[in-house]
Amino acid sequence: QVQLVESGGGLVQPGGSLRLSCAASGSIFSIYTVGWYRQAPGKQRELVAAISLGSSTNYADSVKGRFTISRDNAKNTVYLQMNSLKPEDTAVYYCNANRRTVLGQILDYWGQGTQVTVSS
């Protein structure tokens, strides 16, 4: 069983920066694809950024050029660097890890979330 713990959220002014961390219970990020999702008040969860095993990345249009996802396998940690933050970035941010087994089973795990609030 995989456990993920997010940290690094907080209150920041518009234009500021935060770095979120997602720490895994084991050495899983070398074999799992990882994504950051967020859920704002009154809205559905959405994908913010993802990184593949080959380190290719995808970003939501709303965060392109501002957010960067990265992985440190030695530390069993995935990061989301968030720059030029806007009030509309306010949400609970969740880390997700998933992979497909050789038998076709999809393994999917979520962290508990960390609150990001962008406000003056």
Side-chain angles (χ1 to χ4, degrees):
Q1 193 80 355
V2 174
Q3 291 188 334
L4 305 174
V5 179
E6 301 97 333
S7 62
L11 176 64
V12 64
Q13 295 185 72
S17 298
L18 287 172
R19 188 177 74 162
L20 306 184
S21 298
C22 174
S25 58
S27 301
I28 69 165
F29 291 142
S30 62
I31 59 174
Y32 282 74
T33 298
V34 180
W36 282 97
Y37 291 76
R38 67 186 180 188
Q39 186 168 14
K43 295 186 177 181
Q44 191 171 334
R45 180 195 66 183
E46 64 174 343
L47 177 65
V48 176
I51 185 167
S52 72
L53 297 181
S55 296
S56 63
T57 57
N58 292 316
Y59 298 94
D61 288 341
S62 59
V63 307
K64 285 182 179 178
R66 300 189 297 119
F67 290 11
T68 303
I69 187 171
S70 61
R71 167 194 291 131
D72 188 334
N73 290 337
K75 296 181 179 180
N76 301 317
T77 302
V78 171
Y79 304 97
L80 183 67
Q81 179 66 46
M82 306 186 296
N83 299 324
S84 302
L85 283 162
K86 305 174 180 179
E88 50 263 45
D89 295 319
T90 296
V92 177
Y93 284 71
Y94 298 91
C95 180
N96 170 266
N98 70 87
R99 73 176 181 94
R100 183 187 295 273
T101 71
V102 68
L103 297 178
Q105 180 185 10
I106 297 176
L107 304 178
D108 191 33
Y109 303 98
W110 293 88
Q112 84 290 344
T114 185
Q115 176 71 48
V116 172
T117 303
V118 184
S119 176
S120 299

